[in-house]
Amino acid sequence: MNNENKISRVSYQDYPKEAVVLGNLSVKFMKQSRFVPLYLKEDTLGIAMAEPGDIGTVEALKFAYGLNVETLEGRPEDIAEAVERLYGAGRQSIETIIQEADKNIYADLGESGAAAGEADIAHLRDLASEAPIIRLVNRLILNAVELRASDIHFEPFENEFKVRYRIDGVLHDVESPPSRLQAAIISRVKIMSKLDIAERRLPQDGRIKLRVADKETDFRVSTVPTIFGESLVMRILDRENLVLDLEKLGFPPDILSRYNELVSQPYGMILVTGPTGSGKTKINSSENKIITLEDPVEYQMRGVNQIQVNPKIGLTFAGGLRSIVRQDPDIILVGEIRDRETAEIAVQSALTGHLLFSTLHTNDAPGAITRLLDMGVENFLLSSTLLGILAQRLVRVICPRCKTQIMPDEKLLRSMNLKPGEADRISFFAGKGCEECRNTGFRGRMGIFEYLPVDADIRKEINEKSSTEKLRAAAIRKGLVTLRQDGWRKVREGVTTIPEVLRVTLEM
């Protein structure tokens, strides 16, 4: 490559599919110096470097191989991924591994043995323990972690076996193995998570702890039987990327200050609706005894007594909650209120001097009140114990690298109920798609929130067993900022897009 044509920065898609072969090239040296070979043309070696100004590394390569060295700048994370893919544990491309595994399994099973039900268990265990299948599963896991996926889905269908990653809340198809590898791949993951590979008719749950990309990562594994075989999902629980700072999660300052007041109350019940998160880290201190009931325990928290619910042996939310109260806790967290019994015990616990947090699956904050009343909780007990409700949803954040100003479609603007001329005073943004965000236009997620404090007016509505609509109207009169309104605030701030907000919220 001539100097005048030399590009200053290399994109991830320009990295080679196969390794550039250089005798005795140390993986450790590449990782420490943060470079990877891109091409070898005649007497010139092209490399991507995180620090192109690192003359020492360039001179070392010139001396070792007697070659001219051309340097391009690469992103450190892209270089690390390429080194691992081309030279490390995952040095074979995923296509090559699939071909190798397919050839082995095809030779062993033949077409008649493609269905999992026809494979004898001992033989299936042997297949799942063969090197190509192990490499394939390891590679799929490594790719998912590097792409910041939260889940890996292995899905059997009539004519195909799909592998998909959930990234920033949205599923993406990845290179999928042929259907005849389905039984061996599922069995491999089940062996890793200590599940029974002979049991394919009932759901199973397990856990795996692996060292992936130089860090400890936990995986929660769930299998369910479908008409075409077992569907398996791996939830990736990356503790290093767990965000515990509520401001970074997207809490508006006004809601955050009121929520902080709420969690400092000595007793009462606080509810969170929507996906995950219930504020337990916010009130974790050495002065409080905190006990949680979770199904399942995902992140292990220091200083918190965490109990795994297990209905198979009779340890339900309701039964566990009844026992927890006798453990002299200051704060109780119940993973989810699912039935009348749990709801009634939760209310009684809050009534007898405990601060209790729990979650409910409802569309918004006022809906949580109606749900508890529908479960059979007495209205006068609920009105005297409930302190507040926080509804939350997650929206994808526009990629900062390819963020560009746009003018949304008129239909989208109408869906946000804007006043005439309001859109003209706002700058709207979206992501064009780049290597940083893998061409999705988004990178990461943040919360949008709706906070309903239970004051005298709301208590009056609870005592009257008012409908969700009436509760919502009363809350809006008191200044409730709805989920969609908070989402709109984040659109105006240039953090997310209108389609994202519409995707996760109901009409106002």
Side-chain angles (χ1 to χ4, degrees), residues 349-485:
S349 304
L351 206 59
T352 53
H354 302 100
L355 185 62
L356 184 136
F357 291 82
S358 192
T359 67
L360 273 174
H361 286 297
T362 61
N363 290 324
D364 55 15
I369 295 171
T370 315
R371 178 92 178 93
L372 287 171
L373 292 172
D374 288 345
M375 278 183 184
V377 175
E378 294 290 353
N379 54 342
F380 63 91
L381 290 177
L382 186 60
S383 67
S384 57
T385 55
L386 190 59
L387 297 175
I389 305 164
L390 182 75
Q392 63 177 32
R393 294 290 183 274
L394 295 171
V395 292
R396 290 183 292 172
V397 174
I398 299 167
C399 172
R401 186 165 172 196
C402 62
K403 184 175 181 177
T404 187
Q405 193 165 341
I406 59 149
M407 177 47 73
D409 182 89
E410 196 65 39
K411 188 178 174 185
L412 285 176
L413 293 172
R414 281 200 304 271
S415 67
M416 299 304 290
N417 297 328
L418 302 189
K419 294 169 187 166
E422 188 178 348
D424 299 335
R425 300 189 296 274
I426 299 168
S427 297
F428 296 93
F429 294 91
K432 287 191 299 186
C434 65
E435 59 184 272
E436 187 93 21
C437 61
R438 309 289 182 185
N439 293 311
T440 62
F442 297 97
R443 186 168 173 84
R445 288 188 290 174
M446 76 183 318
I448 57 173
F449 301 93
E450 174 178 296
Y451 173 62
L452 174 61
V454 178
D455 59 11
D457 292 337
I458 299 299
R459 286 194 186 94
K460 180 173 174 286
E461 299 294 342
I462 295 173
N463 284 327
E464 292 175 0
K465 295 190 177 180
S466 296
S467 65
T468 302
E469 290 72 26
K470 205 170 171 193
L471 280 161
R472 169 172 282 278
I476 288 173
R477 283 196 302 273
K478 302 281 291 184
L480 175 78
V481 175
T482 66
L483 283 166
R484 183 164 289 189
Q485 286 168 340

Side-chain angles (χ1 to χ4, degrees), residues 148-153 164-172:
R148 302 176 297 104
S150 59
D151 303 85
I152 310 171
H153 291 243
R164 299 198 286 174
Y165 297 158
R166 189 177 295 281
I167 302 169
D168 293 335
V170 177
L171 282 169
H172 298 267

Side-chain angles (χ1 to χ4, degrees), residues 140-141 143-155 162-174 219-220 231-237 275-276 394 396 437-438 440 442 444-445 500 503-504:
L140 288 167
I141 292 172
N143 283 358
V145 171
E146 287 174 342
L147 290 171
R148 302 176 297 104
S150 59
D151 303 85
I152 310 171
H153 291 243
F154 297 90
E155 301 169 309
K162 270 191 174 183
V163 179
R164 299 198 286 174
Y165 297 158
R166 189 177 295 281
I167 302 169
D168 293 335
V170 177
L171 282 169
H172 298 267
D173 287 337
V174 296
F219 298 83
R220 197 182 87 216
S231 172
L232 186 146
V233 176
M234 299 179 74
R235 166 65 57 88
I236 302 171
L237 305 168
T276 65
L394 295 171
R396 290 183 292 172
C437 61
R438 309 289 182 185
T440 62
F442 297 97
R445 288 188 290 174
E500 270 299 288
R503 184 174 67 86
V504 300

